[in-house]
Amino acid sequence: MQKTKEESKKLFIQTLGCQMNDTDSAHIIAELGEHNNYTTTDTMEDADLIIINTCSVREKPVQKLFSEIGQFNSKKKEGAKIGVCGCTASHLGKDIIKRAPYVDFVLGARNISKISKIIDQKGAVEIDIEHDDSTYEFARSETSLYKTSVNISIGCDKECTYCIVPATRGDEISIPPEMIIEQIKKDVLKGAIEVTLLGQNVNSYGRKFSDGRGKTTFTQLLHDISKIEGIERIRFTSPHPLHMDDEFIEEFARNPKISKCIHMPLQSGSTKILKAMKRGYSKEWFLNRAAKIRELVPEVRITTDIIVAFPGETQEDFDDTIDVINQVKFDQIFNFKYSPRPNTAALELKDQEIPDEIGSARLIQVIDLHKEHQSEHMRSNIGKTVKVLFESLKPNGEVSGFTDNWCQVYVKGSDELLGKIAEVKITSSTRTTLKGELVN
Ligand code: SAH
Ligand code: SF4
Ligand code: F3S
């Protein structure tokens, strides 16, 4: 029976971390909407249920978690429940309730499908790392979006020595291709024209399914998704440089529906450090793959993740990272200072840890160099005509959208542009955005 709006309960949800957590939060909202009559609120004090969907990848957000839930507890409405979900829930488990007894439940990142049941179980802790959500059909929210995101795998089978994710999200299992395609088709009917495929390691897709079926590849999946009528643009994150074989790069270059922006998480430019990180590739392999991509797709934008001050990183190793940055001239760098994490192999390198002030100086050097490259890249767009998918109207009468290679562009226009792809001549740039005029 349909309940009236007045009866609906309020959910406040705060999401930290990566795009997989964003999708998990969207699943939580949709599941609780469909099965438990919750609608979302932006005001924590109004909420009947407060959920914090956490990230563990670095130490800082974990430290912040406890002060934040303490705040929530002191300000929440009487009787409101508090739940901790996500990666920190996976790795701290029942310790969260020990430390903060007012937390009502803890739900690990691999267990999101259990949300509807757990909200009524005071003290419940569901963090089973073997749990398999890969064939669970999550409810989807009803909002019509030009963009949609779909998980294509859960977990991660790599053993990068600094990374806590395999311990919080468990082994990698691929979601069956027919489920992914069905989901995208449904989202197209609601207005989606762009899809982002999500996984910790998207281009190792298809090696293991929970029903034991035969293998397939990410390249094949990309090919099949591009056949869906109504999908104009396909994006994906994160691919792993190790699995960027020629077949994959050629599909990326050839398939006009694939957005020409690629994330190539370098982590370090030093082959010695890459080995200590267990990344599986060398500096030369990375440079060779980046060069091949640029050769086949001259307009490509390449983004990356870099960790500075991994244990044992000498000045010479860091210089290799700077060398790769200078050669590839990334369009966007997400920089991090190494943060020691529980359940990771790099903890054994404790005696080689780099003093914090050296780490901070290296981080600043990367940021400054990157800013120069960013400005250079953005300026090179002036005078070009690009295709933009418009998606939001700004209060100043400008409409913003993204090019196929993922530059943000602003033009004067109206909401009639929303959800449409139009040609724009670029007239000016800042370090991170472009401005232009519509070409009629
Ligand atoms: N699966 C993705 C990464 C997910 S974590 C990939 O392989 O690209 C996102 C980023 O956080 C990583 O790419 C890495 O740069 C950073 N990161 C992970 N663990 C870290 C740690 N212990 N210290 C600092 N940065 C870390
Ligand atoms: Fe972490 Fe490496 Fe897996 Fe990425 S590929 S999630 S960095 S273990
Ligand atoms: Fe953080 Fe978990 Fe994503 S640790 S980066 S939310 S996979």
Side-chain angles (χ1 to χ4, degrees):
M1 195 181 66
Q2 189 78 30
K3 292 195 179 167
T4 61
K5 224 173 171 156
E6 284 72 44
E7 286 174 275
S8 87
K9 290 168 277 179
K10 295 277 177 239
L11 164 69
F12 173 86
I13 184 159
Q14 180 179 311
T15 311
L16 308 168
C18 61
Q19 277 176 285
M20 301 218 67
N21 254 19
D22 291 338
T23 308
D24 287 346
S25 286
H27 285 155
I28 290 174
I29 293 168
E31 287 283 312
L32 292 179
E34 187 160 310
H35 305 298
N36 308 74
N37 196 28
Y38 274 92
T39 53
T40 53
T41 172
D42 293 332
T43 313
M44 187 275 291
E45 289 82 353
D46 288 346
D48 302 287
L49 173 60
I50 298 161
I51 288 180
I52 170 157
N53 195 9
T54 57
C55 174
S56 274
V57 82
R58 284 167 292 276
E59 198 180 356
K60 260 198 192 136
V62 179
Q63 285 169 348
K64 251 181 68 187
L65 169 69
F66 287 98
S67 62
E68 202 146 40
I69 46 179
Q71 291 267 341
F72 287 162
N73 184 48
S74 62
K75 292 191 188 146
K76 72 179 180 144
K77 192 163 97 177
E78 207 190 318
K81 292 177 194 168
I82 299 181
V84 176
C85 302
C87 287
T88 311
S90 300
H91 96 91
L92 292 183
K94 59 181 179 338
D95 288 350
I96 294 177
I97 296 185
K98 258 194 214 148
R99 215 169 132 180
Y102 45 81
V103 167
D104 290 278
F105 63 88
V106 173
L107 185 68
R110 211 183 160 93
N111 295 260
I112 296 299
S113 62
K114 302 174 187 166
I115 187 72
S116 279
K117 288 188 212 105
I118 203 173
I119 56 170
D120 294 321
Q121 297 169 20
K122 173 84 188 147
V125 177
E126 286 279 352
I127 53 167
D128 180 6
I129 205 70
E130 312 254 303
H131 180 71
D132 181 358
D133 264 352
S134 71
T135 54
Y136 182 81
E137 267 198 57
F138 283 98
R140 301 282 280 190
S141 63
E142 280 306 314
T143 48
S144 152
L145 291 170
Y146 317 123
K147 303 200 273 192
T148 184
S149 303
V150 180
N151 288 347
I152 65 164
S153 56
I154 60 173
C156 180
D157 272 354
K158 294 274 183 249
E159 295 172 344
C160 303
T161 54
Y162 51 81
C163 185
I164 196 172
V165 173
T168 64
R169 291 197 178 254
D171 291 347
E172 185 175 315
I173 303 179
S174 297
I175 294 173
E178 65 277 8
M179 278 185 76
I180 298 170
I181 287 172
E182 200 48 41
Q183 188 56 66
I184 298 173
K185 283 184 176 165
K186 281 187 197 158
D187 291 343
V188 166
L189 290 177
K190 289 195 225 155
I193 56 178
E194 176 183 300
V195 61
T196 302
L197 311 176
L198 294 175
Q200 289 303 339
N201 208 340
V202 286
N203 52 346
S204 72
Y205 177 82
R207 287 179 302 121
K208 192 168 80 196
F209 292 95
S210 54
D211 61 8
R213 71 175 75 192
K215 292 182 187 185
T216 177
T217 63
F218 183 57
T219 307
Q220 183 62 45
L221 181 71
L222 283 174
H223 190 74
D224 294 346
I225 291 173
S226 68
K227 294 276 176 286
I228 300 175
E229 216 168 301
I231 280 296
E232 301 292 336
R233 207 180 257 179
I234 303 167
R235 295 173 47 75
F236 49 84
T237 201
S238 286
H240 196 298
L242 178 65
H243 304 298
M244 292 188 181
D245 55 21
D246 286 350
E247 197 194 18
F248 164 74
I249 293 177
E250 279 154 21
E251 177 71 18
F252 175 78
R254 195 173 18 187
N255 191 327
K257 288 198 176 174
I258 299 176
S259 163
K260 299 302 182 252
C261 176
I262 191 161
H263 191 57
M264 292 186 73
L266 169 67
Q267 313 302 357
S268 168
S270 150
T271 299
K272 182 195 98 187
I273 295 295
L274 287 168
K275 212 173 207 170
M277 289 175 161
K278 276 209 180 171
R279 288 291 287 175
Y281 53 87
S282 62
K283 175 184 179 184
E284 287 68 32
W285 167 262
F286 187 94
L287 287 171
N288 171 286
R289 297 292 85 189
K292 171 132 189 147
I293 292 173
R294 275 218 201 281
E295 181 198 319
L296 297 186
V297 190
E299 78 278 19
V300 74
R301 293 180 83 237
I302 302 181
T303 63
T304 199
D305 290 350
I306 285 174
I307 300 177
V308 299
F310 183 80
E313 183 185 75
T314 60
Q315 184 60 41
E316 210 184 342
D317 295 320
F318 178 64
D319 290 344
D320 272 327
T321 300
I322 294 292
D323 184 39
V324 176
I325 297 174
N326 273 320
Q327 291 200 49
V328 181
K329 292 203 165 98
F330 297 103
D331 290 270
Q332 175 78 55
I333 300 182
F334 302 94
N335 323 275
F336 310 104
K337 193 162 36 166
Y338 170 71
S339 167
R341 307 303 297 124
N343 306 316
T344 60
L347 288 181
E348 284 165 25
L349 306 174
K350 202 159 178 44
D351 57 337
Q352 295 176 56
E353 275 181 18
I354 306 296
D356 199 48
E357 58 281 13
I358 295 183
S360 299
R362 288 180 181 169
L363 199 60
I364 289 170
Q365 201 181 328
V366 170
I367 293 169
D368 288 346
L369 179 60
H370 171 51
K371 279 184 182 165
E372 283 174 34
H373 293 160
Q374 253 185 329
S375 302
E376 219 176 283
H377 280 305
M378 294 308 254
R379 262 198 309 273
S380 72
N381 286 295
I382 298 174
K384 285 187 184 160
T385 299
V386 293
K387 279 189 181 154
V388 179
L389 164 54
F390 288 100
E391 52 191 63
S392 59
L393 184 64
K394 305 291 160 195
N396 65 357
E398 286 184 330
V399 191
S400 123
F402 286 86
T403 61
D404 184 48
N405 63 1
W406 211 243
C407 278
Q408 191 164 20
V409 177
Y410 290 87
V411 298
K412 285 258 175 264
S414 70
D415 56 2
E416 275 178 25
L417 280 173
L418 298 179
K420 302 215 169 74
I421 296 180
E423 289 203 327
V424 175
K425 182 156 189 202
I426 301 303
T427 51
S428 66
S429 70
T430 67
R431 188 168 55 78
T432 52
T433 61
L434 300 174
K435 244 184 201 177
E437 288 160 4
L438 288 170
V439 177
N440 296 311

